[in-house]
Amino acid sequence: MRSSLTLVGTLWAFLSLVTAVASSTSYFLPYWLFGSQLGKPVSFSTFRRCNYPVRGEGHSLIMVEECGRYASFSAIPSLAWQMCTVVTGAGCALLLLVALAAVLGCCMEELISRMMGRCMGAAQFVGGLLISSGCALYPLGWNSPEIMQTCGNVSNQFRLGTCRLGWAYYCAGGGAAAAMLICTWLSCFAGRNPKPIMLAESIMRNTNSYAMELDHCLKT
């Protein structure tokens, strides 16, 4: 089985898969921001949360210790986080699509040419840029009431208060940076240039096929 990728292209496909999985996994996990509320640890992503308060008997607040997404898009605490959810999700989808095509290129001949590889690298740059934009938007939502309650009521935009950033935030940003800088550069050398002999053989094969079909139609 002959690959359509060069040796550098194989490395590019591997790194593309790693960065896409890292960014996408971090996007879905609610470990972007860590704080505490009512003595219990609380964590957030853009559209998910672990541990939240509810009204118990006697109208007292109790913490429900479970993870889940917000009930609706409008229930996400701030407009900045809503934008972050959309932008980051689009970037992750783009990186996953390119990574899938790159992995298929390792197994299929003539799937990814040199020009196609560069176009896919440009798509990776856009995907990484979208995720990076989402990471930049994320601190704009730290002044929402829900986040302030978790961060000691002293948090604000770009100021965490008593909270701290989680590993998933750094993983998403690192995956985006690797996709933009490393994968985009490697993609320029990923695809094979079609050899003149192979190109001529392909043209002759197609020409003979058309000639046989035409001859068959004339005879019938």
Side-chain angles (χ1 to χ4, degrees):
M1 184 182 296
R2 193 169 186 272
S3 170
S4 61
L5 299 177
T6 62
L7 184 60
V8 174
T10 304
L11 176 62
W12 166 70
F14 173 74
L15 290 178
S16 296
L17 183 62
V18 170
T19 56
V21 170
S23 297
S24 301
T25 302
S26 301
Y27 172 65
F28 282 101
L29 292 178
Y31 304 123
W32 284 41
L33 185 68
F34 289 100
S36 63
Q37 190 172 358
L38 300 179
K40 301 290 185 179
V42 178
S43 60
F44 298 89
S45 64
T46 59
F47 63 98
R48 300 188 71 201
R49 171 177 177 155
C50 284
N51 303 344
Y52 53 91
V54 295
R55 292 284 180 184
E57 294 181 2
H59 301 288
S60 60
L61 288 175
I62 60 173
M63 292 296 291
V64 178
E65 299 185 45
E66 64 179 19
C67 297
R69 62 179 179 83
Y70 288 100
S72 64
F73 184 76
S74 60
I76 295 175
S78 67
L79 177 62
W81 281 22
Q82 293 173 358
M83 294 171 59
C84 180
T85 299
V86 174
V87 169
T88 307
C92 289
L94 195 54
L95 290 188
L96 284 172
L97 184 63
V98 173
L100 176 62
V103 171
L104 289 176
C106 294
C107 310
M108 300 176 63
E109 188 177 357
E110 299 181 13
L111 178 65
I112 300 177
S113 64
R114 183 64 59 88
M115 182 58 68
M116 177 63 71
R118 290 173 179 173
C119 292
M120 292 170 69
Q124 283 181 307
F125 185 86
V126 174
L129 186 62
L130 288 172
I131 297 173
S132 300
S133 300
C135 291
L137 286 169
Y138 193 65
L140 295 176
W142 295 348
N143 63 343
S144 66
E146 185 173 336
I147 307 306
M148 292 180 69
Q149 292 170 7
T150 306
C151 299
N153 290 314
V154 291
S155 65
N156 206 335
Q157 292 182 348
F158 297 97
R159 191 174 70 185
L160 277 171
T162 59
C163 292
R164 60 184 176 86
L165 286 174
W167 60 267
Y169 178 83
Y170 294 111
C171 189
M180 290 175 63
L181 301 177
I182 301 176
C183 293
T184 299
W185 177 68
L186 291 177
S187 69
C188 297
F189 315 100
R192 297 180 184 274
N193 279 326
K195 295 180 180 180
I197 296 178
M198 293 177 59
L199 185 61
E201 289 178 351
S202 177
I203 294 174
M204 290 296 297
R205 189 162 54 245
N206 291 334
T207 302
N208 291 337
S209 176
Y210 294 146
M212 291 175 63
E213 290 180 4
L214 180 61
D215 183 62
H216 178 72
C217 290
L218 292 175
K219 287 180 179 180
T220 57

